[in-house]
Each structure stands twice: as structure tokens, then as C-alpha cells.
Amino acid sequence: MTEPRRLRGHKATATCCIASRDKPGLVATSGEDGCICWFDMRCKDVKFVMDVSNEPISSLCFNSGNENIIYVSTGNEVKSFDVHMLADNSWKPLESYNYNKEEINQVTCNSRSSFLASADDGGEIKIIDIHQKRIFKTLRAGHTSICSSVQFIPWRPWEIVTGGLDSKFIIWDFSKGRPSKIVDFGLADMRSGSNAGQCLNPAFVHSVKVPDVDMLDKIGKICVVARGDGVIDVINTESELTATKPKSSTKSRKGTQSKGSDGGVPDENGRKWLHLDYSLGGHTAAVSCVTFSLFGEKGKFLVSGGNDKLVKVWDCSRCLDSWQTGDTNELLHLNINLTKKVNWLCTTPAESDNLVVCDTTKLVKVYSVS
């Protein structure tokens, strides 16, 4: 792996990065300096800088239907901006939502651009109706500690997944405001299969990720969970939800299962999960971020970054095949050594300069993965 490009623009640690799907090579990054930097991978210097907050920015996301709209979480507030309407140095938000009581860790927009979800330090998730510009639902009594990550499930329009520092992974029905499934990675039987070389940190959930709609044909209806003990769990969400249904309802659901839904090598609890751990070339410290690749064949790779100063690129096809066969050889496609811990990462749909990494410095690093 050659030396990365270094993107300059932030005055403090870079915290988050997102890549445009509509405009390959366009990347937005946020930092503890309260700024958003916009980069075009074809150019050397920062395109422009938005100074939007006196507080650090924890998370960014695009409006799924209009990437000119960007959502920003800072403190306990979510702000939206129309990048095309902004005058020079006049960063007035379109909307500002102050529903969370505690500091927000992640904000995300659903695929229909109708709802936002913001997860906070109090363990609550606020669902915001974008069109009505008001709170739709508050999800509580699921997490008992910080809720670190949230994602909408694109094939289930009324459901989200969350992860927290209580070691819980939760699937919610946000129309009803209650959990559909709770998995506690802190329980002894959830950790019994861990490799002897695995780090002994608590299995806090730092990041969750579900594939976009255009990846489902290839990798199926899965969710990836990044854990504090260095393990990455690939979970079949449909199998998990079906397992919680009464037996009378499982038959009617059979036709909605996609690739990988019926396969898998069950663990000792009967779960059809894949654990990407130390024994398979995985992380030796907490995994801070996971994402799917946008370059080449979308969703071909799973990319993870951790506190072990490593970025790992996993072959999703091999991972799903191993679900069926139990063969776990050569799941790891590429290992990238860094000098700092990973805060966040994203991929771009470009052939080169397609992996963007925010570490614990103000310089954003860009790598080319083939």
C-alpha cells in the first residue's frame, strides 16, 4: 500500500466523513473544530469549508434523495444545510432540531428521505419527521448506556438498528416505538466462542452498518456490528427477526428471505452469524467503524477500522460463502497499517482515491483500494 494522500482543511481532529454517491470523488468531512470540509478527489486542496458550530461535530449524513442537503449533529442538536443555497461564510441552517437531551453520537437519514434518526449519550434515539419538521417518536428503554450508532433498515421501512456501550444490538420498530429484538453481547454465552487471542475489552457496540438497497442482491439482508473486543459480527437480520416471531408467522415470511437468509453455520446457540475475529486475521483492539465499499461492484468489500491502528478490507462474497460452507480461509482481502487510531472511514465510488480515513489527527487520509 503506497503512502496515502493527506487532505488539509481541519484545525482539529477529524471526526467523520461521508462520500457522495451521485458525484463520485466528492467527500465531506467534519471535525472537532466545528467545521465541515468539502473535498473533490480530483483536486489537491479543500473545495470550501463550512464553519457551522462552536462545538465539535460528531456525525454527518446526506439527505438520501437530495445530496445538496446535509445533516450535521453537534452537541444535542441536528442541523440541516442546503449547500447550494449557502452564501460565502454565511452558514445559516435550513432547519435545526433540538430534541435530544444528551450529546448526539450519530445522525442518519432513511432511504426515502422522510425520517432522520439521532442516537445520543442518554441511550435514546429520536426519530424526526423531515417533511413535518417535528419529532415522530422517541425510542427509549432499550439501551441502558450510551447509544453509539444507528441505521435505518432500507428493506424494512419502519425499522432501525442501534448499538450501544451497554453491549446491546437492538432492532426497533420505530412506528410502535419498541424493540423487536435485543442481542446482549455482554452475556457470557455471547462471548464463549471468542478466540483465545482476542482482546478482552468489553463487547461494546461502537458502530452498526446495513447495506444500501443496491447491494442487497449481492450480499443479502445483513447487518454488521463493530465491537469493543475487536470482533465484527455479520448478522442475518431476517433470521433474527424470524426467530422472534411465533411459529405460525414463519411460513408466511419464508418468501421474503434473500441470499444468506437460510444458510450459515449455526453457533452453539443456533444463531447463523459470522464472527470476524482475531483468528481470521481480525482486529486486536476495539473496532470503531465499519462500512461497505462503494467502489467497483458495490458491497463487494466490508471495510473496518479500529483502535489497533489498522484498516481491514474483507471480501463480502467469501464471507457469505463461508456462512454456507464453514470455510473461513482468505476472508481478509487487504490489511492497511496506519499510525493512529481510526475515528471514522468511508469509501467513494471512484476507481482510485476510494478509501477515506479520519484518524485522531486533523489530517484526513485517502487510500486507493483495488
Side-chain angles (χ1 to χ4, degrees), residues 144-185:
T144 55
S145 182
I146 291 168
C147 184
S148 52
S149 189
V150 58
Q151 294 278 293
F152 287 95
I153 304 179
W155 59 91
R156 287 180 169 269
W158 294 102
E159 295 185 43
I160 62 167
V161 293
T162 61
L165 302 196
D166 52 3
S167 300
K168 287 178 183 171
F169 165 76
I170 303 179
I171 305 175
W172 301 80
D173 182 334
F174 68 84
S175 67
K176 298 175 182 174
R178 61 174 183 254
S180 306
K181 177 80 177 184
I182 299 177
V183 176
D184 189 345
F185 291 110

Short mmCIF file of all heavy atoms in Angstrom, two decimals, residues 144-185:
data_model
loop_
_atom_site.label_atom_id
_atom_site.label_comp_id
_atom_site.label_asym_id
_atom_site.label_seq_id
_atom_site.Cartn_x
_atom_site.Cartn_y
_atom_site.Cartn_z
N THR A 144 -29.23 0.89 28.05
CA THR A 144 -29.03 1.35 29.43
C THR A 144 -27.78 2.21 29.56
O THR A 144 -27.41 2.61 30.65
CB THR A 144 -28.91 0.15 30.38
OG1 THR A 144 -27.86 -0.72 29.91
CG2 THR A 144 -30.22 -0.62 30.43
N SER A 145 -27.14 2.48 28.43
CA SER A 145 -25.96 3.34 28.41
C SER A 145 -25.96 4.09 27.09
O SER A 145 -26.97 4.13 26.39
CB SER A 145 -24.68 2.49 28.57
OG SER A 145 -23.53 3.30 28.60
N ILE A 146 -24.83 4.68 26.74
CA ILE A 146 -24.69 5.47 25.51
C ILE A 146 -25.13 4.67 24.28
O ILE A 146 -24.73 3.52 24.10
CB ILE A 146 -23.22 5.91 25.35
CG1 ILE A 146 -22.85 6.94 26.42
CG2 ILE A 146 -22.95 6.45 23.95
CD1 ILE A 146 -21.36 7.23 26.52
N CYS A 147 -25.96 5.28 23.44
CA CYS A 147 -26.29 4.70 22.13
C CYS A 147 -25.32 5.30 21.12
O CYS A 147 -25.35 6.51 20.86
CB CYS A 147 -27.74 5.00 21.73
SG CYS A 147 -28.21 4.21 20.17
N SER A 148 -24.43 4.49 20.60
CA SER A 148 -23.32 5.00 19.80
C SER A 148 -23.60 5.05 18.31
O SER A 148 -22.99 5.84 17.59
CB SER A 148 -22.08 4.12 20.04
OG SER A 148 -22.40 2.77 19.85
N SER A 149 -24.54 4.22 17.83
CA SER A 149 -24.72 4.11 16.38
C SER A 149 -26.16 3.75 16.04
O SER A 149 -26.83 3.04 16.78
CB SER A 149 -23.76 3.05 15.83
OG SER A 149 -23.74 3.04 14.42
N VAL A 150 -26.62 4.25 14.89
CA VAL A 150 -27.99 3.98 14.43
C VAL A 150 -28.02 3.93 12.91
O VAL A 150 -27.30 4.68 12.23
CB VAL A 150 -28.97 5.06 14.96
CG1 VAL A 150 -28.56 6.47 14.51
CG2 VAL A 150 -30.40 4.77 14.52
N GLN A 151 -28.83 3.02 12.36
CA GLN A 151 -29.01 2.89 10.92
C GLN A 151 -30.46 2.47 10.63
O GLN A 151 -31.02 1.63 11.34
CB GLN A 151 -28.08 1.81 10.34
CG GLN A 151 -26.61 2.13 10.41
CD GLN A 151 -26.16 3.03 9.28
OE1 GLN A 151 -26.15 2.64 8.12
NE2 GLN A 151 -25.81 4.25 9.63
N PHE A 152 -31.03 3.05 9.59
CA PHE A 152 -32.33 2.56 9.10
C PHE A 152 -32.11 1.28 8.30
O PHE A 152 -31.04 1.07 7.72
CB PHE A 152 -32.99 3.61 8.19
CG PHE A 152 -33.55 4.79 8.94
CD1 PHE A 152 -32.79 5.95 9.09
CD2 PHE A 152 -34.82 4.75 9.49
CE1 PHE A 152 -33.30 7.05 9.77
CE2 PHE A 152 -35.33 5.84 10.18
CZ PHE A 152 -34.57 6.99 10.32
N ILE A 153 -33.12 0.41 8.32
CA ILE A 153 -33.08 -0.81 7.51
C ILE A 153 -33.87 -0.53 6.24
O ILE A 153 -35.10 -0.42 6.28
CB ILE A 153 -33.70 -2.00 8.27
CG1 ILE A 153 -33.00 -2.21 9.62
CG2 ILE A 153 -33.62 -3.27 7.43
CD1 ILE A 153 -33.58 -3.36 10.45
N PRO A 154 -33.20 -0.39 5.09
CA PRO A 154 -33.90 0.08 3.88
C PRO A 154 -35.00 -0.86 3.39
O PRO A 154 -35.96 -0.41 2.75
CB PRO A 154 -32.78 0.22 2.84
CG PRO A 154 -31.63 -0.55 3.38
CD PRO A 154 -31.76 -0.56 4.85
N TRP A 155 -34.88 -2.17 3.65
CA TRP A 155 -35.92 -3.11 3.18
C TRP A 155 -37.03 -3.29 4.21
O TRP A 155 -37.98 -4.02 3.98
CB TRP A 155 -35.29 -4.46 2.83
CG TRP A 155 -34.57 -5.13 3.96
CD1 TRP A 155 -35.11 -6.03 4.85
CD2 TRP A 155 -33.21 -4.98 4.34
NE1 TRP A 155 -34.15 -6.44 5.75
CE2 TRP A 155 -32.97 -5.81 5.45
CE3 TRP A 155 -32.14 -4.22 3.85
CZ2 TRP A 155 -31.73 -5.90 6.08
CZ3 TRP A 155 -30.90 -4.31 4.47
CH2 TRP A 155 -30.71 -5.14 5.57
N ARG A 156 -36.91 -2.64 5.37
CA ARG A 156 -37.96 -2.64 6.38
C ARG A 156 -38.23 -1.18 6.75
O ARG A 156 -37.56 -0.64 7.64
CB ARG A 156 -37.54 -3.45 7.60
CG ARG A 156 -37.52 -4.95 7.36
CD ARG A 156 -37.09 -5.70 8.60
NE ARG A 156 -37.31 -7.13 8.47
CZ ARG A 156 -38.40 -7.78 8.84
NH1 ARG A 156 -39.39 -7.10 9.39
NH2 ARG A 156 -38.53 -9.07 8.68
N PRO A 157 -39.15 -0.50 6.07
CA PRO A 157 -39.27 0.96 6.18
C PRO A 157 -39.60 1.50 7.56
O PRO A 157 -39.44 2.69 7.80
CB PRO A 157 -40.38 1.29 5.17
CG PRO A 157 -41.09 0.01 4.91
CD PRO A 157 -40.09 -1.08 5.09
N TRP A 158 -40.03 0.64 8.49
CA TRP A 158 -40.37 1.12 9.83
C TRP A 158 -39.42 0.56 10.90
O TRP A 158 -39.77 0.55 12.08
CB TRP A 158 -41.83 0.77 10.17
CG TRP A 158 -42.80 1.49 9.30
CD1 TRP A 158 -43.47 0.99 8.23
CD2 TRP A 158 -43.17 2.87 9.39
NE1 TRP A 158 -44.24 1.96 7.64
CE2 TRP A 158 -44.08 3.14 8.34
CE3 TRP A 158 -42.82 3.92 10.25
CZ2 TRP A 158 -44.65 4.39 8.13
CZ3 TRP A 158 -43.39 5.18 10.04
CH2 TRP A 158 -44.29 5.40 9.00
N GLU A 159 -38.24 0.14 10.47
CA GLU A 159 -37.33 -0.45 11.45
C GLU A 159 -35.92 0.14 11.34
O GLU A 159 -35.48 0.54 10.26
CB GLU A 159 -37.30 -1.98 11.29
CG GLU A 159 -38.65 -2.60 11.64
CD GLU A 159 -38.66 -4.11 11.63
OE1 GLU A 159 -37.70 -4.72 12.12
OE2 GLU A 159 -39.64 -4.67 11.11
N ILE A 160 -35.27 0.21 12.51
CA ILE A 160 -33.89 0.66 12.58
C ILE A 160 -33.10 -0.33 13.42
O ILE A 160 -33.66 -1.14 14.16
CB ILE A 160 -33.74 2.08 13.19
CG1 ILE A 160 -34.25 2.09 14.64
CG2 ILE A 160 -34.44 3.13 12.35
CD1 ILE A 160 -33.85 3.35 15.41
N VAL A 161 -31.76 -0.24 13.30
CA VAL A 161 -30.88 -0.98 14.20
C VAL A 161 -30.02 0.02 14.95
O VAL A 161 -29.65 1.07 14.42
CB VAL A 161 -29.98 -1.99 13.44
CG1 VAL A 161 -30.80 -3.10 12.85
CG2 VAL A 161 -29.16 -1.29 12.36
N THR A 162 -29.71 -0.31 16.21
CA THR A 162 -28.85 0.54 17.02
C THR A 162 -27.85 -0.32 17.77
O THR A 162 -28.06 -1.52 17.99
CB THR A 162 -29.64 1.37 18.05
OG1 THR A 162 -30.34 0.48 18.95
CG2 THR A 162 -30.65 2.28 17.38
N GLY A 163 -26.75 0.32 18.17
CA GLY A 163 -25.76 -0.34 19.01
C GLY A 163 -25.35 0.60 20.12
O GLY A 163 -25.40 1.83 19.96
N GLY A 164 -24.93 0.04 21.26
CA GLY A 164 -24.61 0.91 22.38
C GLY A 164 -23.46 0.41 23.24
O GLY A 164 -22.97 -0.72 23.09
N LEU A 165 -23.02 1.27 24.16
CA LEU A 165 -21.95 0.93 25.07
C LEU A 165 -22.45 0.12 26.26
O LEU A 165 -21.74 -0.05 27.26
CB LEU A 165 -21.21 2.19 25.52
CG LEU A 165 -20.60 3.04 24.39
CD1 LEU A 165 -19.57 4.02 24.95
CD2 LEU A 165 -19.97 2.19 23.30
N ASP A 166 -23.69 -0.38 26.16
CA ASP A 166 -24.21 -1.39 27.08
C ASP A 166 -24.04 -2.78 26.47
O ASP A 166 -24.57 -3.76 26.97
CB ASP A 166 -25.68 -1.13 27.41
CG ASP A 166 -26.53 -0.96 26.15
OD1 ASP A 166 -25.99 -1.10 25.03
OD2 ASP A 166 -27.73 -0.67 26.28
N SER A 167 -23.28 -2.84 25.35
CA SER A 167 -23.02 -4.09 24.61
C SER A 167 -24.26 -4.65 23.94
O SER A 167 -24.29 -5.83 23.59
CB SER A 167 -22.39 -5.16 25.52
OG SER A 167 -21.17 -4.71 26.06
N LYS A 168 -25.27 -3.81 23.72
CA LYS A 168 -26.51 -4.29 23.11
C LYS A 168 -26.63 -3.85 21.66
O LYS A 168 -26.30 -2.72 21.29
CB LYS A 168 -27.73 -3.80 23.91
CG LYS A 168 -27.91 -4.50 25.24
CD LYS A 168 -29.08 -3.94 26.00
CE LYS A 168 -29.20 -4.60 27.38
NZ LYS A 168 -30.20 -3.93 28.23
N PHE A 169 -27.14 -4.79 20.87
CA PHE A 169 -27.54 -4.54 19.48
C PHE A 169 -29.05 -4.72 19.44
O PHE A 169 -29.57 -5.76 19.86
CB PHE A 169 -26.84 -5.54 18.55
CG PHE A 169 -27.44 -5.62 17.18
CD1 PHE A 169 -27.19 -4.64 16.23
CD2 PHE A 169 -28.25 -6.70 16.81
CE1 PHE A 169 -27.74 -4.72 14.95
CE2 PHE A 169 -28.80 -6.79 15.54
CZ PHE A 169 -28.54 -5.80 14.61
N ILE A 170 -29.76 -3.69 18.98
CA ILE A 170 -31.23 -3.70 19.05
C ILE A 170 -31.83 -3.41 17.68
O ILE A 170 -31.40 -2.49 16.98
CB ILE A 170 -31.75 -2.67 20.08
CG1 ILE A 170 -31.15 -2.94 21.47
CG2 ILE A 170 -33.27 -2.70 20.15
CD1 ILE A 170 -31.59 -1.95 22.54
N ILE A 171 -32.82 -4.22 17.31
CA ILE A 171 -33.65 -3.93 16.13
C ILE A 171 -34.96 -3.36 16.66
O ILE A 171 -35.61 -3.97 17.51
CB ILE A 171 -33.91 -5.20 15.30
CG1 ILE A 171 -32.59 -5.87 14.90
CG2 ILE A 171 -34.74 -4.85 14.06
CD1 ILE A 171 -32.77 -7.21 14.18
N TRP A 172 -35.34 -2.16 16.19
CA TRP A 172 -36.52 -1.46 16.68
C TRP A 172 -37.58 -1.36 15.60
O TRP A 172 -37.26 -1.16 14.42
CB TRP A 172 -36.19 -0.03 17.07
CG TRP A 172 -35.16 0.19 18.12
CD1 TRP A 172 -33.81 0.15 17.97
CD2 TRP A 172 -35.39 0.54 19.49
NE1 TRP A 172 -33.19 0.44 19.17
CE2 TRP A 172 -34.14 0.69 20.12
CE3 TRP A 172 -36.55 0.76 20.25
CZ2 TRP A 172 -33.99 1.04 21.45
CZ3 TRP A 172 -36.41 1.11 21.58
CH2 TRP A 172 -35.15 1.24 22.19
N ASP A 173 -38.83 -1.43 15.99
CA ASP A 173 -39.96 -0.99 15.17
C ASP A 173 -40.28 0.43 15.63
O ASP A 173 -40.90 0.62 16.67
CB ASP A 173 -41.15 -1.92 15.37
CG ASP A 173 -42.34 -1.54 14.50
OD1 ASP A 173 -42.46 -0.34 14.14
OD2 ASP A 173 -43.17 -2.42 14.20
N PHE A 174 -39.82 1.42 14.86
CA PHE A 174 -39.97 2.79 15.36
C PHE A 174 -41.39 3.34 15.16
O PHE A 174 -41.74 4.38 15.73
CB PHE A 174 -38.91 3.73 14.78
CG PHE A 174 -38.99 4.03 13.31
CD1 PHE A 174 -39.82 5.03 12.83
CD2 PHE A 174 -38.20 3.34 12.40
CE1 PHE A 174 -39.89 5.33 11.48
CE2 PHE A 174 -38.25 3.63 11.04
CZ PHE A 174 -39.10 4.62 10.58
N SER A 175 -42.21 2.65 14.37
CA SER A 175 -43.61 3.08 14.28
C SER A 175 -44.34 2.80 15.59
O SER A 175 -45.23 3.55 16.00
CB SER A 175 -44.31 2.38 13.12
OG SER A 175 -44.43 0.99 13.36
N LYS A 176 -43.94 1.71 16.25
CA LYS A 176 -44.54 1.36 17.54
C LYS A 176 -43.71 1.87 18.72
O LYS A 176 -44.19 1.88 19.86
CB LYS A 176 -44.69 -0.16 17.64
CG LYS A 176 -45.61 -0.75 16.58
CD LYS A 176 -45.62 -2.27 16.64
CE LYS A 176 -46.52 -2.85 15.55
NZ LYS A 176 -46.44 -4.32 15.49
N GLY A 177 -42.46 2.22 18.44
CA GLY A 177 -41.61 2.76 19.50
C GLY A 177 -41.06 1.73 20.44
O GLY A 177 -40.75 2.05 21.59
N ARG A 178 -40.90 0.49 19.96
CA ARG A 178 -40.39 -0.55 20.87
C ARG A 178 -39.45 -1.51 20.12
O ARG A 178 -39.53 -1.66 18.90
CB ARG A 178 -41.53 -1.31 21.53
CG ARG A 178 -42.46 -2.04 20.60
CD ARG A 178 -43.46 -2.88 21.39
NE ARG A 178 -44.33 -3.65 20.52
CZ ARG A 178 -45.60 -3.37 20.31
NH1 ARG A 178 -46.14 -2.29 20.85
NH2 ARG A 178 -46.33 -4.15 19.52
N PRO A 179 -38.58 -2.19 20.88
CA PRO A 179 -37.65 -3.13 20.26
C PRO A 179 -38.35 -4.36 19.70
O PRO A 179 -39.30 -4.88 20.30
CB PRO A 179 -36.70 -3.52 21.40
CG PRO A 179 -36.89 -2.49 22.47
CD PRO A 179 -38.31 -2.03 22.32
N SER A 180 -37.86 -4.84 18.55
CA SER A 180 -38.31 -6.12 18.01
C SER A 180 -37.36 -7.24 18.43
O SER A 180 -37.76 -8.40 18.52
CB SER A 180 -38.35 -6.07 16.47
OG SER A 180 -39.12 -4.99 16.02
N LYS A 181 -36.09 -6.88 18.67
CA LYS A 181 -35.07 -7.87 19.01
C LYS A 181 -33.94 -7.17 19.77
O LYS A 181 -33.49 -6.11 19.36
CB LYS A 181 -34.52 -8.52 17.73
CG LYS A 181 -33.41 -9.51 17.94
CD LYS A 181 -33.95 -10.86 18.36
CE LYS A 181 -32.86 -11.90 18.51
NZ LYS A 181 -33.41 -13.23 18.82
N ILE A 182 -33.51 -7.77 20.87
CA ILE A 182 -32.36 -7.26 21.62
C ILE A 182 -31.33 -8.37 21.74
O ILE A 182 -31.64 -9.48 22.17
CB ILE A 182 -32.76 -6.77 23.03
CG1 ILE A 182 -33.78 -5.63 22.93
CG2 ILE A 182 -31.53 -6.32 23.81
CD1 ILE A 182 -34.29 -5.14 24.28
N VAL A 183 -30.10 -8.08 21.32
CA VAL A 183 -28.98 -9.01 21.48
C VAL A 183 -27.99 -8.37 22.43
O VAL A 183 -27.54 -7.24 22.21
CB VAL A 183 -28.30 -9.30 20.12
CG1 VAL A 183 -27.08 -10.19 20.31
CG2 VAL A 183 -29.28 -9.94 19.15
N ASP A 184 -27.64 -9.07 23.51
CA ASP A 184 -26.71 -8.55 24.51
C ASP A 184 -25.38 -9.27 24.37
O ASP A 184 -25.23 -10.43 24.76
CB ASP A 184 -27.28 -8.75 25.92
CG ASP A 184 -26.46 -8.04 26.98
OD1 ASP A 184 -25.32 -7.64 26.69
OD2 ASP A 184 -26.96 -7.89 28.12
N PHE A 185 -24.38 -8.59 23.78
CA PHE A 185 -23.06 -9.18 23.59
C PHE A 185 -22.27 -9.27 24.89
O PHE A 185 -21.21 -9.88 24.93
CB PHE A 185 -22.26 -8.36 22.57
CG PHE A 185 -22.79 -8.46 21.17
CD1 PHE A 185 -23.39 -7.36 20.57
CD2 PHE A 185 -22.70 -9.63 20.44
CE1 PHE A 185 -23.89 -7.44 19.28
CE2 PHE A 185 -23.19 -9.72 19.16
CZ PHE A 185 -23.79 -8.62 18.57
#
